[in-house]
Amino acid sequence: MLSRDADSLFWLSRYVERAENTARILDVAYRMASMPISYNGVETNEWESALITAGGIDQFRAVHGEATPENVIEFLAFSEANPSSIQCCFDTARQNARSVRSALTSEMWEAINSAWLDLRRYKARSINVEDLPRFLNLVKEASLRYDGSAMRTMLRNDAYWFSRLGLYIERADNTARVLDVKYHVLLPQDAAVGGGIDYYQWAAILRSVSALVSYQWVYHQNLRPWLVADLLILREEMPRSLAACYAALSRHLDDISHRYGTSGSAQRQARATHARLANQNIEDIFQHGLHEFLQEFLAENNRLGHAITNQYLC
């Protein structure tokens, strides 16, 4: 496969996944903003935390002032000043899809193109906070249609594997950011790590990664911060966990190396991170510091993305 085609497939999946992740971040902000604005006397701005989670707080401040619901929704959903807005993600994903049209099945192309058309119709009119859940459901369903089409219709060849690499790099990044930012936003500064965090706030976090029911199946008890972290970091059976993402990354990078007959730094980095996650326990992570662990992971994940680019996509 030509490197430019592999690059387009890699980024096509990354941008579709990023759009879904941004929709999930906005969904959490909407849910939490509907709850009491203070917890133990500590006030938080969930709309601002959505910007921090999405990595767009500095860009937002350059365009807008206060992080009002309307400003944040516009910036994260439609703004052309934000290259990671939902609209921009689908614009770029569609451009990449057009450049590798022959590598996509008709179902995959239809999923991307119809989502792009639906979003442009939404952009033509303003969305208020009350309309937000319907819009976010449309984005999440569009991503699921694309992902389901890829899973059910693509040949298991290098086109499929590069597409999966983009998805799992992006998914791992988002899960780590959601857990890191939300954990520190919700935990009052004078409260102990693992203290009495409000049940409904943690439920909203788990809903953002479709993990609330999974949590109940795995742990059979009320929500505990350290168990939420365990589920989203170490439980490989949880599809959006860091461990699950790196199991998939290692597997697909090995598939590519077997096809091309060579292995490199990308394979070594993915295996090393996967092994580290497989041999960790949540007590050690909390003793080391959850924030520090997640920041190290984000840096490692970014390095793997660069390694894949340098090894295959340049």
Side-chain angles (χ1 to χ4, degrees), residues 122-243:
Y122 260 99
K123 188 178 181 180
R125 60 186 180 87
S126 60
I127 294 180
N128 57 37
V129 177
E130 290 72 25
D131 292 333
L132 186 61
R134 187 181 302 108
F135 169 76
L136 298 179
N137 284 335
L138 181 149
V139 175
K140 289 185 280 187
E141 287 169 6
S143 176
L144 288 171
R145 282 199 305 273
Y146 174 78
D147 193 43
S149 297
M151 289 289 291
R152 293 173 67 111
T153 63
M154 280 191 86
L155 285 173
R156 274 19 179 199
N157 57 13
D158 45 0
Y160 176 81
W161 298 326
F162 282 116
S163 176
R164 295 290 97 182
L165 291 182
L167 182 148
Y168 287 113
I169 285 283
E170 191 68 31
R171 182 172 292 178
D173 180 88
N174 179 74
T175 297
R177 288 180 186 277
V178 166
L179 185 56
D180 188 30
V181 174
K182 291 300 179 185
Y183 189 88
H184 286 85
V185 165
L186 295 179
L187 187 68
Q189 293 182 356
D190 57 351
V193 172
I197 299 297
D198 182 79
Y199 174 93
Y200 296 103
Q201 292 176 321
W202 285 106
I205 293 174
L206 288 172
R207 284 193 187 98
S208 75
V209 291
S210 300
L212 182 57
V213 174
S214 299
Y215 178 95
Q216 294 164 346
W217 272 99
V218 171
Y219 300 108
H220 304 289
Q221 58 180 290
N222 290 336
L223 299 183
R224 300 286 186 271
W226 55 92
L227 295 181
V228 173
D230 180 67
L231 182 69
L232 297 184
I233 295 173
L234 302 179
R235 301 298 294 236
E236 206 164 296
E237 64 268 40
M238 171 59 204
R240 301 188 77 88
S241 73
L242 306 187

Side-chain angles (χ1 to χ4, degrees), residues 65-87:
E66 183 182 0
T68 64
E70 293 75 16
N71 287 343
V72 174
I73 291 169
E74 191 279 332
F75 183 78
L76 290 181
F78 299 116
S79 177
E80 294 181 0
N82 175 16
S84 293
S85 71
I86 292 170
Q87 181 68 61

Side-chain angles (χ1 to χ4, degrees), residues 69-133:
E70 293 75 16
N71 287 343
V72 174
I73 291 169
E74 191 279 332
F75 183 78
L76 290 181
F78 299 116
S79 177
E80 294 181 0
N82 175 16
S84 293
S85 71
I86 292 170
Q87 181 68 61
C88 286
C89 283
F90 271 101
D91 285 346
T92 309
R94 185 174 181 271
Q95 291 172 10
N96 281 303
R98 290 182 66 184
S99 70
V100 288
R101 180 67 182 84
S102 60
L104 304 180
T105 64
S106 59
E107 291 85 356
M108 294 170 69
W109 168 253
E110 180 61 29
I112 287 291
N113 197 50
S114 61
W116 180 78
L117 292 171
D118 288 341
L119 287 174
R120 293 191 73 82
R121 283 192 286 269
Y122 260 99
K123 188 178 181 180
R125 60 186 180 87
S126 60
I127 294 180
N128 57 37
V129 177
E130 290 72 25
D131 292 333
L132 186 61

